[in-house]
Amino acid sequence: MERKVGTVSRGIRGPIIREGDDLAKIVVDSVLEAAESEGYELRDRDVVAVTESVVARAQGNYASVDAIASDVRAKLGGETIGVIFPILSRNRFAICLRGIARGARKIVLMLSYPSDEVGNELVGLDKLDQAGINPFSDVLTLERYRTLFGENRHPFTLVDYVDYYSGLIKEEGAEVEVIFANDPRVILNYTKNVLACDIHTRERTKRLLRDAGAEKVCGLDDILNGPVDGSGCNERYGLLGSNKSTEETVKLFPRDCQGLVEDIQARFKEKTGRTVEVMVYGDGAFKDPVGKIWELADPVVSPAFTSGLVGTPNELKLKYLADNDFADLKGQELKDAISQRIREKGDLAGSMASQGTTPRRLTDLIGSLCDLTSGSGDKGTPIIHIQGYFDNYTN
């Protein structure tokens, strides 16, 4: 019988991961036990993905707020520090801000507006228009922001992040001044020592600051990019991709995990004879149309993946073929013609027949699917098993 199911994404339950656990064994055993339980088999080109959170947990890649403070103090001087373009997140940034404030005498907190880098709004665009404010050029003090826009709570968390972040800084014994601007060079009117907290635009931000005369410039990727007093670290990403663990610790983005994905792939090959692709995934990249948040707070969707996941999709748009090349066909004749075209498709770069297919890297697409499947709460499925992703209409 012809197969009627295409791509299937399964969340695989596993044990709670602790530091030092043999994560490769746990992943392989969990997937194989799930397959046996549900009555299916692994196939070549299945994808098995592991959330970055459990990889970092197994590595024990944690750091304290004091370690953050120590590194900030050493690299930015411990006096007045400009903290610019942080995302608005209790989980992602608030605990880092505690450490930053603990390592400074005063924080000048410069927030981008109308929203942060990943879409969390401080004020709606309609309100900016009504107030006659140009976010590309206007610099707002806290007083003017409050006068114009009052209190603005996040639609989902109900947190006023301006007040929340200011309070955290004061709790750590530092002074705080809040401004709103979108040109990073504005901060140099307040201090020459700057910590750029944006994620995906950080290199441009740091370059603009240095070219404009900043004395000390760091990004979050420069903080804890090496161990401090025995702490965890991430040589490439520093604090980027970190999450709150406790009130005094952060879990950092996993480090050196290419060997893990290749080990998992080799173990599946040994146990099943199948060549399975493996990746570590973090935040997916997709936009919420209501909250306007596009999610990607990690520096990359996937920090490690096996070679079969390199590249972008090479797919034909079936409706384009049906409406254009084979508009005069129907039924089995149409199906046969499209199937033959798929078998002969070759490299589709630039082809009109591929227009409308998603032009993103495979790891970003599959990582987003994994993130949506696993969720971020209490589902207990840190491993994702995807089947049929690389199938097409002819399989």
Side-chain angles (χ1 to χ4, degrees), residues 45 79 89 103 106 122 139 153 173 183 204 229 237 329 338 344:
R45 297 217 78 190
E79 290 299 316
S89 171
K106 179 180 178 179
L122 284 170
V139 179
R153 293 183 176 272
D183 184 340
R204 177 177 183 268
D229 299 326
Y237 298 120
L329 303 180
I338 288 178
E344 299 171 347

Side-chain angles (χ1 to χ4, degrees), residues 68 72 109 159 218 394:
I68 297 172
V72 167
L109 181 65
V159 172
C218 289
T394 69

